[in-house]
Amino acid sequence: MKKAESIMMAAEAFAENYGKEPLFQPRHGKEMPKRAAVIQFIRDLRQIMFPGYFGEDSMRKIDSEHFATYRINHLYDVLKREVETAIWYMEEGKTKEEVEIEAERICSEFFVELPDVQRILLTDVQAGYDGDPAAKSKEEIIFCYPGLLAIYVYRVAHILYEKKVPLIPRIMTEYVHGRTGIDINPGAEIGEYFFIDHGTGIVIGETTKIGKYVKLYQGVTLGALSTRDGQQLSGVKRHPTIEDHVTIYSNSSVLGGETVIGENTIIGGNTFITRSIPANTKVSAKSPELVIKSPKKHAWDWED
Amino acid sequence: MKKAESIMMAAEAFAENYGKEPLFQPRHGKEMPKRAAVIQFIRDLRQIMFPGYFGEDSMRKIDSEHFATYRINHLYDVLKREVETAIWYMEEGKTKEEVEIEAERICSEFFVELPDVQRILLTDVQAGYDGDPAAKSKEEIIFCYPGLLAIYVYRVAHILYEKKVPLIPRIMTEYVHGRTGIDINPGAEIGEYFFIDHGTGIVIGETTKIGKYVKLYQGVTLGALSTRDGQQLSGVKRHPTIEDHVTIYSNSSVLGGETVIGENTIIGGNTFITRSIPANTKVSAKSPELVIKSPKKHAWDWED
Amino acid sequence: MKKAESIMMAAEAFAENYGKEPLFQPRHGKEMPKRAAVIQFIRDLRQIMFPGYFGEDSMRKIDSEHFATYRINHLYDVLKREVETAIWYMEEGKTKEEVEIEAERICSEFFVELPDVQRILLTDVQAGYDGDPAAKSKEEIIFCYPGLLAIYVYRVAHILYEKKVPLIPRIMTEYVHGRTGIDINPGAEIGEYFFIDHGTGIVIGETTKIGKYVKLYQGVTLGALSTRDGQQLSGVKRHPTIEDHVTIYSNSSVLGGETVIGENTIIGGNTFITRSIPANTKVSAKSPELVIKSPKKHAWDWED
Amino acid sequence: MKKAESIMMAAEAFAENYGKEPLFQPRHGKEMPKRAAVIQFIRDLRQIMFPGYFGEDSMRKIDSEHFATYRINHLYDVLKREVETAIWYMEEGKTKEEVEIEAERICSEFFVELPDVQRILLTDVQAGYDGDPAAKSKEEIIFCYPGLLAIYVYRVAHILYEKKVPLIPRIMTEYVHGRTGIDINPGAEIGEYFFIDHGTGIVIGETTKIGKYVKLYQGVTLGALSTRDGQQLSGVKRHPTIEDHVTIYSNSSVLGGETVIGENTIIGGNTFITRSIPANTKVSAKSPELVIKSPKKHAWDWED
Amino acid sequence: MKKAESIMMAAEAFAENYGKEPLFQPRHGKEMPKRAAVIQFIRDLRQIMFPGYFGEDSMRKIDSEHFATYRINHLYDVLKREVETAIWYMEEGKTKEEVEIEAERICSEFFVELPDVQRILLTDVQAGYDGDPAAKSKEEIIFCYPGLLAIYVYRVAHILYEKKVPLIPRIMTEYVHGRTGIDINPGAEIGEYFFIDHGTGIVIGETTKIGKYVKLYQGVTLGALSTRDGQQLSGVKRHPTIEDHVTIYSNSSVLGGETVIGENTIIGGNTFITRSIPANTKVSAKSPELVIKSPKKHAWDWED
Amino acid sequence: MKKAESIMMAAEAFAENYGKEPLFQPRHGKEMPKRAAVIQFIRDLRQIMFPGYFGEDSMRKIDSEHFATYRINHLYDVLKREVETAIWYMEEGKTKEEVEIEAERICSEFFVELPDVQRILLTDVQAGYDGDPAAKSKEEIIFCYPGLLAIYVYRVAHILYEKKVPLIPRIMTEYVHGRTGIDINPGAEIGEYFFIDHGTGIVIGETTKIGKYVKLYQGVTLGALSTRDGQQLSGVKRHPTIEDHVTIYSNSSVLGGETVIGENTIIGGNTFITRSIPANTKVSAKSPELVIKSPKKHAWDWED
């Protein structure tokens, strides 16, 4: 087959697929939000949330309120455009004007709530410094720790989730999921002084509730027991509740919407928990018996 | 030691290393394929596979076949250049002309097969929507879900793997592995309606076979029992077979080339399976006994 | 609330936060190192460490010593600027001149040590080829394997860690952690012929020691038993020792500073080890009993 | 004066200027067209006007009509956005819908007229080749000659000028004026087989009429006699008429709206003409007498 | 000759040239100012000088003083870096600290003077609108006219010239010379309501003085009579004085430091003036007699 | 007319034009040289021709020969690719291998000749410094003067012209013509100590010969008397000869292949010379009589 012939055949088949599939007639020709703009927003927002760490701006030294005003105004415009596009795309039956007013209201509230998020993030930094002997300084945590990056993005996305903005909170958390391997659904509720160490493989489901002073290690799943009812479970609490001062070590799973880990409890590594654990408890999987065999030559040449 | 002296010493030692190591005399001065071009290809291809989601192009509204023709032609040229370079680099004993004809044939076949892949990907989107209560819409799955991104890249890379294109399928899947933490070897065979939730830490080995309506959670390994024979195992089936309608929960491992998970079976989380499981079965690891101790002050100040 | 009002309120609150938080008055107006520059450095350095794989440069064919000299000089300047900034930022009480002399010394030593690292990386490539039947060639390992990428970055960052450069080693390893899901603390000590397969979710703690011919699979944690003493543990050995010729399969954890895995030992998947294992041993978790139930309709419609 | 004080003083004075000057309250907050987009348009349009010279596109080999369709669609969208913005900005009293319909009509007509412009530009290329012994090929003229570039931009801008599009035609011609030193007002009327050699300093005024087979050299002005009445002259013919087969040599000026240079006439260099010249005439300035003096040492050390 | 041999020979000869030429040992290893930064500065500065024309910024609508403050602060930093570098490079015998204080002082004064320049530029815009029937609006002049661009750059550069900043004023005016063909030396003194039409080829020398309401056309030279004394003339007035309300038509030259064109005078096109002209005069070159010959075939086939 | 209809009509007409015009079937599908690459080459080459002025490279301080070697190698590759493409495009009847050998030879010779050009350019810098009282330093001339930029590009392009490389010399000189308004044909022959002041509008024809210590001002044309014979004049000497120590002031034209300006001669401004001038002469146009009239109101309200 020649190039031209192949291209023509493929194009014809694609065109047929496009004609048949409703997902390929995006809603009345409406645009989708721009992923790249949302990601740039969440990256740029760090400059006011952690001033001096991700690009210095001498304006802050002249007048930090002017600095914040200027930056927020720019970020406001970027966010509003995307929020407006997302609502317009996903929510039928609203007029353009209604959508614009709604986006304006959401963004205005969003920025007023941000300084509180900044204060909470400082407690997360403190939690990381207290909890990790490998941390050389608090600056290093802000600057390098993927756990803090994921928490920052989650805390910002959660504001928008609560305001029922479609698509955008998830774009934000999936961006940082891709960057860190930490998947926190923007619907989760997470208290202050939260620390994630290493983090790769962590999953925190949409209806999870987490108290204060909680610490999670890599590979921890806070998940649902079953999703066999699919979309009928939408909105139902199906992920666990973790109370204050709980630590969960690596690769453990805590599952189920009615599962509660009581306060001051430690969950050891590689455990699999599907029912509630009382407060002030230390839980570890009893190590399964080790099977030990004699060796032959060396580790890679060895019979099973 | 001064800068100049240090640089001279280092350069001399590097030059000596270069002279001694055959891997640093790339095959007769041949070029390698360009990673960046391959990655750009797999990103740009999404515009015809999921039209309207990753950049809109008004040409589609004028005439969707013209749209597809134009885009495919461009993608064809990009792919052909890389396929040609990869074959020329890795396969000794072929002439330039033979390599070009082979690349032409492979690319022509590739694009003709793509519309079918598009149809299968739509079943994967449906599987995600049915299987995840947190999904607000099918658009969100196409737009944000790392699982679908990984499956898309795998399905495209698999076509090229089957046509024995060297290097390129692996560049594609390792790209998406880096982006999502999901490592699907392009050699695996995977049926329709496939859903990966969260996904970080999933490994699907080269000789795995997966049926239809299969669902995998984060941290699942479909792996080999042993690789102690190294390159002698190349081509041997060493990864499991998963039949239709199987669900495998998070952090479970299913290992071995003769291991078969029968249809309609559910594998619970954190299990470790090295032998076949019959159809219509529900398997869960019997939870190891929990060891519970009384607390002291709080979770972080506590004696072991 | 209107846009302007919202922005003014937010800016005022941010300015107040800035004024109160010492972390937001970066040390006497000093600059932080540039993450982007450090990441570009570690990416560009690959061109001399694996010549011909990440961008070809015809200068190498004219004279490979000239090639190395030129490139090293450029890399030297980039590194020195960042090392200087990092020391100046983090270490109080040194003069500008002292810091510059120290950066000069560190960089000079660094580049002289690099050719040895290159020789060791070639043994890592060999280990990957011998240990993975899915590897089609050694070129593919250099070109595509995330495990090798992570090891390369670690080996380079480790030199700087040993020279007590602040921040930069960690920026490097967290960069590759984000790219691969493999988190190797730059303080770890790792011998030759080291192979990581798949890799997502691997954590190797700061005080880990690993011998030669060691092989790790995805999800392996070489971690601490407890971090309850936080910063007081800084510098204490709290991660395990892995001797020569050890293989650790996926999702296993080996914890504790006094835990030693003796040479020629194999640790099976999904194990959880908190005490030493003698040499020449094969350890597998005794599989927990499987709980098997009869089926109903199909995998997703099934009662628990 | 300190930095902060200086900035505050300057900002206050600027804010006062902004408040007072109507030109700084752009019309009701309307946006202006994007210069960069207009310039990119005129650059990209060359790819269909001179296919193969400014970036090759393999689609043309598959099907040149598909190629043209695809490119025109893209260019149409770009142009329409700018035309719409320009009309909306400059023309009060029209509704958004009227402006959009007008932009749609203008762009539709524009592209239908373009192929004729392409045919005329080929006559301009021929004129250049016939008229310049330094031209090695017609390809060189298309590829390198600033004169042809200026004529191309003029011919395209002229279509839009005739359709009364505000701002955009002038952005186009001023762009090429900057690039070549050739300033052709988009309102001029210019026939086929037009050749400009060297070109720097040429000025062709808004109401100039130029016939076929005309050739101009650098520094030629086709200008107005006087502009003392300013805006009252707007629309009045105030620049000359040049009939067919006329050549005007370098640095000559032909001025006045009633000045006609008859056909087959040659105007020599450095002349200054303010009244009509009949057809079939050769005009040269009678050289002013030369003043010759005896030398002293050398050219730079010499008394006046 | 082979590539390698040729390169080695050339490099050796270059190295020899480098060693011998003092201009190639830039002053004690000092850096030169960055042309690109200076050019970016003069381009970005337009956003506060002509707000709304070269990129809109919604901050201006929130609070135009905040807008100006923020932008000026950024521009201040950019300018100060370049001014400091330029002084440090060119002026021997000053300490780093002296240079920094001087740069600080210059930049502080510079920005305080700018709002006045903005007011004068508005008179230049008015002059253009009154003087050119082809101008459709004052917006078009700000947006498109190369003359205004050149005047803007000159007026800014002139402030720095007066403060004796080396190199940078000239980088600015040569940038706009390249863009417009208008070469105004930053040392010239030019009054309000200045209009340049078309502009290509205009030269205004360093010691020129120009009054108010002056209008120049393309190709006008305001130059020196002789430069035979070279550097000994540095600082001497060697270019003419043009009083208020003078118009000079295209391609005319006015030369000499003692030449004064009195107020209300008009200088016709293509004149060559080397002595003073009184006020209220209209000067035109008496047209040289035209030489007219009979034609032969057509303009290009004609015997001389 | 609707958008779709208009696009289809236009595309059809373009496709017809493409089919009919030989210039749109570029020679057997051959590629043209890349303008952008040629321009980048001539810009980058400045870094070795004027080291330290256009980007500093610390390698020069380590070892200036290594510096030159490395840079030349890179530039060699870039140039060779374009030279090869240009010859292959323009010269029928040569095999690919012959073309490659020719390009190799040309580039090898080119770089060996460059250091001499560098030495000559230093004399041009000296000429500028001696000849322009406005020049504050020789560095300023290298850094800012458009005249030197044009001479530099000409001198480099001339080497390639002499080696009969098609297209590329002209791309180079037209690039700098666009940047400076100075149009020097690469075929001209120009001696040492050449100075161009201001420069806009200068034209130096293909067969011009210029001696040493020559100085030209803006608007000078060294041109042909007539081009009525078009391509038949190709190769014939049709531009003047300027001997040593000649100065030509602004806007003067010297025309004709047999016209010789003898040494030590000064040509005044605005002259028009079509026959030879002996050595040691000072020539000025006798000023045409001035016509002076009495004024009315002011310069712009005045009757003719």
Side-chain angles (χ1 to χ4, degrees), chain A residues 1-3 6-15 17-18 21 23-24 26-27 29 32-33 35 89-90 127 130-131 161 167 170-171 174 177-178 181 183 185 195 200-201 203 206 213-215 219 221 225-227 230-231 233-234 238 245-247 251 253 264-266 270-272 275 277 280-286 300-304, chain B residues 47-54 56 60-61 64-65 67-69 72-73 76-77 104 107-109 111-112 114-116 118-119 122 125 129-140 142-146 178-180 198 200 215 217-218 228-229 249-251 268-270 287-295 297-300 302-304:
Chain A
M1 189 166 23
K2 286 293 175 33
K3 178 188 175 188
S6 143
I7 289 174
M8 295 303 179
M9 274 180 66
E12 202 178 325
F14 271 115
N17 283 356
Y18 295 163
E21 173 54 48
L23 279 172
F24 294 162
R27 316 196 171 188
M32 302 202 79
R35 269 179 64 85
Y89 186 85
M90 295 299 291
D130 294 341
Y161 177 94
L167 290 171
R170 194 66 186 267
I171 294 174
E174 286 300 347
H177 180 194
D183 180 359
N185 190 292
F195 178 44
T200 311
V203 172
E206 188 182 18
Y213 294 96
V214 169
K215 186 174 172 183
T221 295
L225 261 173
S226 159
T227 57
Q231 289 293 325
L233 289 172
S234 179
R238 53 199 190 281
H245 292 288
V246 168
T247 297
N251 298 320
S253 298
N264 291 320
T265 283
I266 296 178
N270 285 36
T271 56
F272 188 77
R275 55 196 170 76
I277 303 290
N280 303 309
T281 310
K282 179 166 183 181
V283 180
S284 60
K286 189 178 168 188
W300 296 9
D301 280 342
W302 208 33
E303 264 312 303
D304 193 34
Chain B
Q47 300 189 344
I48 58 166
M49 296 296 269
F50 300 106
Y53 289 84
F54 301 98
E56 186 47 291
R60 196 159 65 91
K61 289 169 197 154
S64 70
E65 200 174 326
F67 161 75
T69 305
I72 292 170
N73 176 65
Y76 187 105
D77 293 350
E104 188 89 23
C107 291
S108 292
E109 290 173 13
F111 281 98
V112 171
L114 266 191
D116 270 330
Q118 187 184 48
R119 283 186 281 266
L122 286 167
V125 171
Y129 187 68
D130 293 342
D132 181 10
K136 306 301 186 218
S137 65
K138 289 198 266 188
E139 280 90 344
E140 193 181 5
I142 297 177
F143 206 52
C144 306
Y145 273 50
R179 284 278 305 271
T180 64
H198 309 299
T200 312
K215 187 175 173 182
Y217 283 85
Q218 69 274 17
R228 70 182 173 283
D229 293 321
Y249 281 98
S250 58
N251 298 319
N270 285 36
S287 283
E289 215 173 326
L290 293 181
V291 181
I292 297 186
K293 292 190 184 164
S294 63
K297 274 184 290 178
H298 78 72
W300 297 9
W302 211 32
E303 264 313 303
D304 192 34

Side-chain angles (χ1 to χ4, degrees), chain B residues 5-21:
Chain B
E5 190 188 342
S6 143
I7 289 174
M8 295 302 179
M9 274 181 66
E12 201 177 327
F14 272 115
E16 198 189 320
N17 283 356
Y18 296 163
K20 284 195 305 211
E21 173 55 47

Side-chain angles (χ1 to χ4, degrees), chain B residues 57-59 62 66 69-71 73 77, chain D residues 57-59 62 66 69-71 73 77:
Chain B
D57 179 339
S58 72
M59 188 62 223
I62 299 294
H66 271 57
T69 305
Y70 192 87
R71 291 299 180 99
N73 176 65
D77 293 350
Chain D
D57 180 337
S58 73
M59 189 62 224
I62 299 294
H66 270 57
T69 305
Y70 192 87
R71 290 300 180 100
N73 176 65
D77 292 350

Side-chain angles (χ1 to χ4, degrees), chain C residues 138-186:
Chain C
K138 288 197 266 190
E139 280 90 344
E140 193 181 5
I141 291 170
I142 297 177
F143 206 51
C144 306
Y145 272 49
L148 188 76
L149 180 63
I151 296 168
Y152 153 68
V153 172
Y154 151 75
R155 294 208 186 279
V156 170
H158 181 64
I159 307 182
L160 297 172
Y161 177 94
E162 292 225 310
K163 298 188 187 307
K164 303 198 192 314
V165 176
L167 289 172
I168 291 176
R170 194 67 186 268
I171 294 174
M172 289 175 171
T173 57
E174 287 299 347
Y175 158 68
V176 83
H177 180 194
R179 283 278 306 271
T180 63
I182 300 168
D183 180 359
I184 311 179
N185 191 293

Side-chain angles (χ1 to χ4, degrees), chain B residues 18-219:
Chain B
Y18 296 163
K20 284 195 305 211
E21 173 55 47
L23 279 171
F24 295 161
Q25 276 86 44
R27 315 194 172 189
H28 317 302
K30 291 173 177 175
E31 234 187 317
M32 302 202 81
K34 302 234 173 305
R35 267 179 66 85
V38 172
I39 289 169
Q40 198 57 48
F41 172 83
I42 200 77
R43 291 173 61 92
D44 288 350
L45 183 64
R46 293 185 305 176
Q47 300 189 344
I48 58 166
M49 296 296 269
F50 300 106
Y53 289 84
F54 301 98
E56 186 47 291
D57 179 339
S58 72
M59 188 62 223
R60 196 159 65 91
K61 289 169 197 154
I62 299 294
D63 183 319
S64 70
E65 200 174 326
H66 271 57
F67 161 75
T69 305
Y70 192 87
R71 291 299 180 99
I72 292 170
N73 176 65
H74 172 68
L75 292 164
Y76 187 105
D77 293 350
V78 172
L79 183 64
K80 179 159 164 271
R81 198 175 329 115
E82 299 311 316
V83 167
E84 209 173 323
T85 311
I87 297 174
W88 180 238
Y89 186 85
M90 294 299 292
E91 297 182 12
E92 312 272 337
K94 291 182 174 163
T95 67
K96 263 274 181 194
E97 286 65 32
E98 286 167 348
V99 168
E100 193 179 346
I101 288 165
E102 192 177 338
E104 188 89 23
R105 179 186 56 72
I106 287 168
C107 291
S108 292
E109 290 173 13
F110 170 83
F111 281 98
V112 171
E113 293 174 35
L114 266 191
D116 270 330
V117 170
Q118 187 184 48
R119 283 186 281 266
I120 294 170
L121 284 165
L122 286 167
T123 70
D124 299 327
V125 171
Q126 187 67 47
Y129 187 68
D130 293 342
D132 181 10
K136 306 301 186 218
S137 65
K138 289 198 266 188
E139 280 90 344
E140 193 181 5
I141 291 170
I142 297 177
F143 206 52
C144 306
Y145 273 50
L148 188 76
L149 180 63
I151 295 168
Y152 153 68
V153 172
Y154 152 75
R155 292 207 187 280
V156 170
H158 181 64
I159 306 181
L160 297 173
Y161 177 94
E162 291 225 310
K163 299 187 187 309
K164 304 199 191 314
V165 176
L167 290 172
I168 291 177
R170 194 67 186 267
I171 294 174
M172 289 175 172
T173 57
E174 286 300 348
Y175 158 69
V176 83
H177 181 195
R179 284 278 305 271
T180 64
I182 300 168
D183 180 359
I184 311 179
N185 190 293
E189 295 174 20
I190 302 181
E192 301 180 348
Y193 290 90
F194 183 52
F195 179 45
I196 286 174
D197 204 2
H198 309 299
T200 312
I202 282 179
V203 172
I204 299 176
E206 187 182 18
T207 61
T208 307
K209 284 184 207 240
I210 294 179
K212 300 173 183 171
Y213 294 96
V214 169
K215 187 175 173 182
L216 302 185
Y217 283 85
Q218 69 274 17

Side-chain angles (χ1 to χ4, degrees), chain D residues 149-222:
Chain D
L149 180 64
I151 296 168
Y152 153 69
V153 172
Y154 152 75
R155 293 207 186 280
V156 170
H158 181 64
I159 307 181
L160 298 172
Y161 177 93
E162 291 226 309
K163 298 186 187 308
K164 304 196 190 315
V165 175
L167 289 171
I168 292 177
R170 194 67 187 268
I171 295 174
M172 289 175 172
T173 57
E174 286 299 348
Y175 158 68
V176 83
H177 181 195
R179 284 278 305 271
T180 63
I182 300 168
D183 180 359
I184 312 179
N185 190 293
E189 295 174 22
I190 303 180
E192 300 181 350
Y193 290 89
F194 183 52
F195 178 45
I196 286 173
D197 203 3
H198 310 298
T200 311
I202 282 179
V203 171
I204 301 176
E206 188 181 18
T207 61
T208 307
K209 286 184 206 238
I210 295 179
K212 301 174 184 171
Y213 294 95
V214 169
K215 187 173 172 183
L216 303 184
Y217 283 84
Q218 69 273 16
V220 165
T221 294
L222 305 179

Side-chain angles (χ1 to χ4, degrees), chain C residues 33-48:
Chain C
K34 301 234 175 304
R35 268 179 65 84
V38 173
I39 289 170
Q40 198 58 48
F41 171 83
I42 200 78
R43 291 172 61 91
D44 288 350
L45 183 64
R46 292 185 305 176
Q47 301 189 345
I48 60 167

